[in-house]
Amino acid sequence: MTHVKVCVIGGGSTYTPELVDGLLRRREVLDLHEIHLVDHDDARLAVLGPLAARMAARDGGGVAVRWTTDRSVGIAGSRFVVSQIRVGGMAARERDEQLGREFGLIGQETVGVGGFANALRTIPVALDIAADVARWAPGATVLNFTNPAGLVTEALCRHTDVPTIGLCNVPWTVKARVAASLGVTAEDVDVDYVGLNHLSWVRRVSVAGTDRTPEVLRGLEERTSRVMSSAHADGEPEWTPAAIRLLGAIPNYYLLYYYETDAWVRFQAAHPTRASAVQEIEAALLRRYADPELTEKPVELDSRGGAYYSEAAAALMADLVAGTGAVHVVNTPNRGAIPGLDADVVVEVAARIGPNGPEPLAVPPLRADMDALLRTMKDVELLTVEAAVHGDADAALRALVTNPLGPSMSAAAAVWARLLEMNTGMLGRLG
Ligand code: G6P
């Protein structure tokens, strides 16, 4: 086995210690030799680089940690390239949320007009990164966490030859929660996980071949009922026991934007943006990271939404290197896994990690309501990718009006004009 180098694009992210921690914990099975952090932000690298180096030194020093603003240097010779960028930074996330508020639409970083704007900014940059990977590290696999992760992975799989796997922490979180509710470990649990990134359902849970779904759904109904009774009137929208009963599945948290759109729009209007909250958390984290005595991932990092993301990445890399044939939930072309859906569209499903990458496992057909939402949103994603890749403004407008979260046809032109204005110079061929 050759030594493994992992390059992290967006290595200046405050999430990086989480990833470094996960990689170091699997360094032997990975034969990890080097972690190279790449970021355009020197100041961030000057904090995250030394912290990652202290973490590696504490771990025995067998892993070299380097950092650079030169992407080609960071990528060169890597076996894995983790992409975790945010084009335009938190300021752009804030503007996306404001765009939603201005028009009474969802401005979340991965959903609604927020996710749409984020995709249009990010896809051109993600394609540039892939071109660098093809040039400087041929054969390397890109692990994409960059949001909106499903859309960005769709663009990379559709428009490049670089092996790309899209990842998210949600499948890990769901499995861990289900396991805890059943009093077993996550490894013991099999889930029928199906959908797109941030638009998925777990329809069946089994432990050692026994179907435990009714018990899990009953527990979820009880929990939602407890949450409801203690919830504040102006709190975040939550699932209700009736919703869980009707869905008959464990819904991805992000599906609340589709099933409780009005409540989310009201919540947004009455509360500060998530971007502003995250900016405060990040400022505190960066102060903490700068402490030369700090040699491990601090607990404060748990206040971010990305818990378990290092597990998703490091465990997948380990299984790719060791060729264990283990099963992971990933974003990958469908290839017949979800019946009736095109082979080449990216879906979020369980896949066996074979020598040639993920082989998605077939799942039973979707119920009509799930199928309808999934297909519609996949079409919205495909239109969005087309808009970003070809600079096609009509495709962008069609994506907007096809999204069940709006805008309506008569408002679309105004939303589009405002989006262009807010993102001038950041939209590749769209301006
Ligand atoms: C979850 C999602 C990620 C997202 C994160 C946001 O982990 O799956 O896609 O990036 O939450 O967390 P934040 O703390 O930035 O709001």
Side-chain angles (χ1 to χ4, degrees):
M1 187 159 55
T2 53
H3 287 334
V4 165
K5 171 180 174 182
V6 176
C7 170
V8 186
I9 314 277
S13 161
T14 49
Y15 274 124
T16 295
E18 165 87 25
L19 181 64
V20 170
D21 180 68
L23 289 173
L24 291 174
R25 275 190 285 111
R26 286 186 173 76
R27 76 181 152 83
E28 277 175 21
V29 53
L30 273 172
D31 193 17
L32 184 65
H33 178 65
E34 178 178 346
I35 300 174
H36 213 133
L37 307 182
V38 176
D39 209 290
H40 62 88
D41 187 335
D42 262 328
R44 282 292 193 96
L45 278 180
V47 176
L48 270 303
L51 171 57
R54 293 195 298 275
M55 291 172 70
R58 174 196 160 112
D59 194 55
V63 176
V65 175
R66 301 194 167 86
W67 52 96
T68 178
T69 53
D70 184 338
R71 204 157 73 195
S72 60
V73 170
I75 288 174
S78 295
R79 169 73 182 83
F80 297 107
V81 177
V82 178
S83 172
Q84 50 173 32
I85 60 170
R86 187 184 291 286
V87 177
M90 251 342 133
R93 181 174 180 179
E94 169 73 26
R95 285 197 296 274
D96 292 346
E97 292 190 60
Q98 295 299 351
L99 176 68
R101 282 161 166 77
E102 279 181 31
F103 290 91
L105 300 166
I106 302 296
Q108 206 274 338
E109 63 167 338
T110 62
V111 181
V113 290
F116 174 70
N118 194 11
L120 295 183
R121 277 194 309 274
T122 307
I123 288 171
V125 180
L127 294 175
D128 279 352
I129 292 171
D132 277 357
V133 174
R135 176 157 185 214
W136 300 107
T141 298
V142 170
L143 303 187
N144 181 67
F145 280 105
T146 292
N147 268 329
L151 264 156
V152 171
T153 305
E154 180 72 62
L156 289 171
C157 291
R158 194 162 284 275
H159 292 284
T160 79
D161 292 326
V162 175
T164 301
I165 304 174
L167 287 174
C168 180
N169 63 323
V170 169
W172 282 79
T173 315
V174 169
K175 224 176 159 184
R177 287 199 184 138
V178 166
S181 78
L182 293 173
V184 297
T185 67
E187 292 78 48
D188 295 329
V189 175
D190 280 318
V191 291
D192 169 33
Y193 187 110
V194 63
L196 308 178
N197 183 240
H198 289 184
L199 191 139
S200 61
W201 303 265
V202 171
R203 297 178 296 178
R204 189 173 190 274
V205 175
S206 57
V207 177
T210 304
D211 185 0
R212 307 281 297 267
T213 320
E215 191 181 337
V216 171
L217 290 179
R218 247 192 336 271
L220 191 54
E221 279 180 39
E222 279 162 26
R223 229 177 7 265
T224 51
S225 147
R226 274 200 304 279
V227 170
M228 276 180 71
S229 60
S230 62
H232 295 292
D234 67 344
E236 267 187 38
E238 299 280 359
W239 297 108
T240 62
I244 301 299
R245 242 189 328 272
L246 190 64
L247 291 172
I250 307 170
N252 189 311
Y253 165 82
Y254 287 81
L255 281 168
L256 274 169
Y257 289 103
Y258 298 90
Y259 293 135
E260 296 291 358
T261 314
D262 297 344
W264 258 118
V265 170
R266 279 197 303 277
F267 179 84
Q268 284 182 170
H271 291 84
T273 58
R274 175 69 186 160
S276 60
V278 167
Q279 266 163 320
E280 281 176 27
I281 298 170
E282 288 201 318
L285 282 174
L286 288 169
R287 281 195 297 276
R288 182 85 179 90
Y289 293 173
D291 176 358
E293 300 296 315
L294 183 70
T295 57
E296 57 189 347
K297 174 186 85 162
V299 285
E300 291 94 312
L301 190 46
D302 293 346
S303 52
R304 295 294 302 279
Y308 289 107
Y309 105 104
S310 69
E311 286 303 306
L316 177 64
M317 285 184 218
D319 285 325
L320 279 163
V321 166
T324 55
V327 172
H328 290 253
V329 174
V330 293
N331 286 261
T332 193
N334 183 43
R335 292 163 62 196
I338 303 180
L341 209 59
D342 285 352
D344 61 348
V345 299
V346 167
V347 292
E348 190 166 89
V349 289
R352 192 165 298 288
I353 305 306
N356 299 316
E359 297 153 16
L361 303 172
V363 295
L366 284 168
R367 212 174 52 207
D369 55 319
M370 296 171 173
D371 188 60
L373 182 55
L374 185 149
R375 279 173 190 275
T376 302
M377 286 315 299
K378 181 42 78 179
D379 284 338
V380 171
E381 287 191 3
L382 294 175
L383 285 163
T384 307
V385 170
E386 201 179 312
V389 171
H390 302 297
D392 183 341
D394 281 348
L397 281 160
R398 290 190 184 107
L400 277 173
V401 298
T402 306
N403 194 321
L405 299 177
S408 59
M409 185 68 92
S410 51
V415 171
W416 179 236
R418 186 75 177 113
L419 187 157
L420 290 174
E421 187 188 2
M422 283 177 153
N423 292 280
T424 306
M426 302 181 79
L427 297 172
R429 297 171 69 174
L430 285 163

